[in-house]
Amino acid sequence: MAVVLEKDLACKDFLSKQPKQLLIDGKWHPAESGKTFETYNPATGEVLAKVAEGGKADIDKAVKAARRAFETGPWRKMSPAHRSRLLYKLADAIEARAQEFAQLETLDNGKPIRESLHVDIPQAVETFRYYAGWCTKLEGETLNVNENFFNYTLREPVGVVGQIIPWNFPLLMAAWKLAPALACGNTLILKPAEQTPLTALRLGELICEVGFPEGVVNIVTGFGPDSAGEALSNHMDVDKIAFTGEDKTGKIIVQASTGNLKRVSLELGGKAPNIVFADADIDAAVKGAITGIFFNQGQVCCAGSRLFLEKSIHDEFLTKLTDRVQKIKQGPGLDEKTVIGPQVSKEQQERILNYVKVAKGEGAELVCGGEAPGGDLAKGYFVKPTIFKGVKNEMRIAQEEVFGPLLSVIPFDTMEQVAEQANKVTFGLSGAVWTKDIRKAHKLAAHIKAGTIWVNCFNVFDPAVPFGGYKMSGYGRELGKHSIELYTQIKSVWVNIGE
């Protein structure tokens, strides 16, 4: 078995330095309260590290540091080319330590090492490189509006930004937030998820090493309600909040923003329809369905959790799908053969198993999975990959975000029927269509109310392509040039040139 042993861990030196501290104003500090909390290995339930539990006092310090760095530090005066070089250096530093970051991510989150090493870390690197290129591309305009006036616009940074990231893709989500904000000249406070703080803290070390000025990036670990997350959302000297997470927390952040009317961007949950027509490449669609729901243990906001199958292929497709799913290797993330690792926490494991009970109670038929494995995996937070058939679109498992390896299979008769059902949820983050009929594909892609639609594929991303949701999936777009809009504001300047 190809398992990375503890003695061979590239991240062992980082883990040995405990407890982990907060990065504020370019230096590492314990929490003002002196409190720490523990972060766990989801594969074993064992403690990985003790981490400083930041609170309101620490957020205050971090915001003051970020404000000072923005208003009077060298960051705003720095040339765009210099900012670009720093972002490129940070990307290179992450890439040079890819094994270390991948192992930390897998240990803290539970995801398979092959996903951490070949998806999360490379995409984080590419995101920093993509936005390093944007530093020198930010432009204003000149507008011909009146012969007596010369008018031009300036694109300026928003200011001090609070960024709250989730636990499902810790380093990658940090890159999605940090890179565009820094490229635009903002200063920031990053609040990682309490379940997975380690790669953000290691990233903080590299940010200091490559030469970012003090106070430009501050990292405060801790909890959300009544703690660091709430304090950051409420803070009157924060100009913007960027949040990725569940919709309930998103609503709280919006309410908190009204104190000083800070700008808010939200990337929230999803309940993606994954629609397979009878004319599709069935084998490719089966692989796509597996990727759509079981990648990252189903802990993906754009997961294809509702699988709509045209009735004429329903049984054939479900048989092929079930056969493949039951052969998937489940185990600890550090095992290179593992395809599905543990859920991120005991709480998440219990949440998913509760939805299994809910689904059975509503009349859905369990095809496979639906339980925690025993044996060597019993100590970890595992849930077997689960499929339900006979699901109706109004059932809770088809309406609510489970955020786990639980697939709802729903049959349909016509394109009109499935188009209607696809949109009958409160979310609108993503969707997919599998068909060889290009007209059908384009028609459905236009009809589905979601920010991303995949045709004959699933979970394809690129830093240049915008990502975000409709409806309860939030607002604002991350990645691409659209993310620049989140972290800049436009100033109009009128100059009287008349007599």
Side-chain angles (χ1 to χ4, degrees):
M1 183 179 294
V3 182
V4 181
L5 301 176
E6 185 175 348
K7 66 182 180 66
D8 298 323
L9 286 173
C11 61
K12 62 183 178 181
D13 288 342
F14 175 79
L15 289 174
S16 68
K17 295 178 286 185
Q18 295 197 34
K20 303 301 175 191
Q21 297 186 322
L22 314 174
L23 178 60
I24 299 176
D25 208 11
K27 298 177 180 61
W28 295 95
H29 304 268
E32 284 286 309
S33 66
K35 291 182 180 180
T36 62
F37 65 95
E38 295 174 334
T39 183
Y40 299 90
N41 180 346
T44 64
E46 297 172 345
V47 175
L48 269 175
K50 289 187 176 181
V51 182
E53 184 181 332
K56 184 179 184 301
D58 304 290
I59 290 294
D60 282 340
K61 284 174 59 179
V63 171
K64 287 177 182 176
R67 176 60 65 189
R68 189 164 52 248
F70 183 73
E71 301 293 351
T72 61
W75 188 239
R76 288 184 75 182
K77 299 175 183 177
M78 187 180 292
S79 72
H82 192 173
R83 283 206 303 272
S84 177
R85 286 194 295 272
L86 285 174
L87 284 170
Y88 276 122
K89 284 177 69 176
L90 182 57
D92 292 344
I94 298 168
E95 188 173 56
R97 297 160 181 82
Q99 285 285 348
E100 179 185 358
F101 273 101
Q103 290 170 9
L104 273 178
E105 205 76 298
T106 288
L107 285 168
D108 212 14
N109 169 276
K111 63 178 62 191
I113 188 68
R114 61 193 203 173
E115 289 182 12
S116 298
L117 188 59
H118 299 296
V119 179
D120 294 50
I121 311 309
Q123 287 196 13
V125 170
E126 289 309 309
T127 300
F128 279 112
R129 286 179 177 153
Y130 175 81
Y131 284 105
W134 265 105
C135 294
T136 54
K137 313 298 185 301
L138 303 178
E139 300 174 340
E141 302 172 292
T142 58
L143 303 171
N144 297 320
V145 291
N146 188 306
E147 65 178 8
N148 293 318
F149 295 91
F150 172 59
N151 178 266
Y152 63 93
T153 64
L154 299 172
R155 184 175 291 275
E156 299 181 336
V158 171
V160 174
V161 177
Q163 302 183 316
I164 303 174
I165 59 173
W167 46 256
N168 56 340
F169 295 92
L171 183 68
L172 183 56
M173 292 298 99
W176 281 24
K177 296 283 191 291
L178 289 168
L182 292 172
C184 294
N186 298 281
T187 59
L188 55 95
I189 303 93
L190 180 72
K191 193 284 191 187
E194 61 268 24
Q195 297 89 343
T196 55
L198 296 184
T199 48
L201 293 173
R202 183 68 181 104
L203 179 63
E205 292 183 346
L206 294 189
I207 286 170
C208 295
E209 289 175 19
V210 301
F212 280 81
E214 295 177 350
V216 171
V217 178
N218 305 273
I219 301 175
V220 179
T221 51
F223 296 87
D226 303 315
S227 187
E230 182 175 320
L232 186 58
S233 302
N234 283 320
H235 206 288
M236 295 293 287
D237 201 26
V238 170
D239 300 307
K240 173 187 165 53
I241 289 285
F243 172 74
T244 297
E246 69 169 340
D247 57 303
K248 292 178 183 177
T249 306
K251 292 177 183 178
I252 294 171
I253 288 172
V254 171
Q255 291 170 350
S257 72
T258 60
N260 65 337
L261 291 179
K262 60 174 65 68
R263 294 172 64 175
V264 177
S265 56
L266 302 171
E267 196 269 275
L268 307 177
K271 200 67 188 173
N274 192 7
I275 302 166
V276 184
F277 287 95
D279 64 356
D281 181 330
I282 300 301
D283 290 334
V286 167
K287 292 179 183 177
I290 291 171
T291 298
I293 187 59
F294 298 125
F295 175 68
N296 202 35
Q297 296 70 247
Q299 298 169 151
V300 184
C301 52
C302 55
S305 53
R306 291 185 297 155
L307 178 62
F308 290 94
L309 298 177
E310 194 165 1
K311 281 187 177 177
S312 62
I313 61 164
H314 179 278
D315 293 348
E316 175 195 355
F317 192 102
L318 189 56
T319 297
K320 287 186 174 183
L321 177 64
T322 305
D323 287 346
R324 286 181 64 103
V325 169
Q326 290 179 323
K327 295 173 183 175
I328 292 176
K329 164 73 173 175
Q330 187 169 29
L334 288 181
D335 183 343
E336 293 177 356
K337 295 181 181 178
T338 290
V339 176
I340 294 182
Q343 309 310 130
V344 73
S345 65
K346 184 68 175 176
E347 178 186 16
Q348 191 66 15
Q349 180 196 43
E350 291 173 349
R351 170 188 168 90
I352 297 161
L353 293 176
N354 182 63
Y355 269 106
V356 171
K357 294 178 183 178
V358 169
K360 291 178 178 177
E362 289 185 321
E365 183 180 340
L366 182 66
V367 177
C368 66
E371 62 183 357
D376 294 340
L377 303 185
K379 292 182 180 180
Y381 311 138
F382 293 88
V383 175
K384 289 183 179 179
T386 301
I387 301 175
F388 277 99
K389 69 176 182 178
V391 177
K392 296 180 180 178
N393 197 49
E394 60 269 21
M395 290 180 177
R396 283 183 62 188
I397 59 166
Q399 290 292 313
E400 299 175 13
E401 187 177 40
V402 178
F403 222 61
L406 193 158
L407 180 64
S408 300
V409 180
I410 306 171
F412 71 90
D413 290 303
T414 66
M415 184 170 71
E416 290 72 24
Q417 180 193 50
V418 75
E420 180 183 2
Q421 289 190 327
N423 288 330
K424 274 196 171 182
V425 288
T426 59
F427 298 106
L429 189 59
S430 61
V433 180
W434 299 81
T435 178
K436 294 177 181 175
D437 185 336
I438 196 66
R439 291 185 300 174
K440 192 186 297 180
H442 283 299
K443 190 171 183 179
L444 260 183
H447 183 84
I448 296 173
K449 296 175 182 177
T452 295
I453 305 296
W454 291 290
V455 177
N456 295 329
C457 57
F458 210 102
N459 279 343
V460 183
F461 295 92
D462 189 276
V465 179
F467 182 79
Y470 288 24
K471 301 189 286 186
M472 291 288 286
S473 290
Y475 46 76
R477 291 294 179 270
E478 297 192 289
L479 302 182
K481 64 182 180 181
H482 305 274
S483 194
I484 299 300
E485 299 294 334
L486 300 182
Y487 295 103
T488 56
Q489 49 197 356
I490 303 298
K491 176 184 289 181
S492 296
V493 180
W494 292 83
V495 180
N496 188 343
I497 58 174
E499 295 181 4

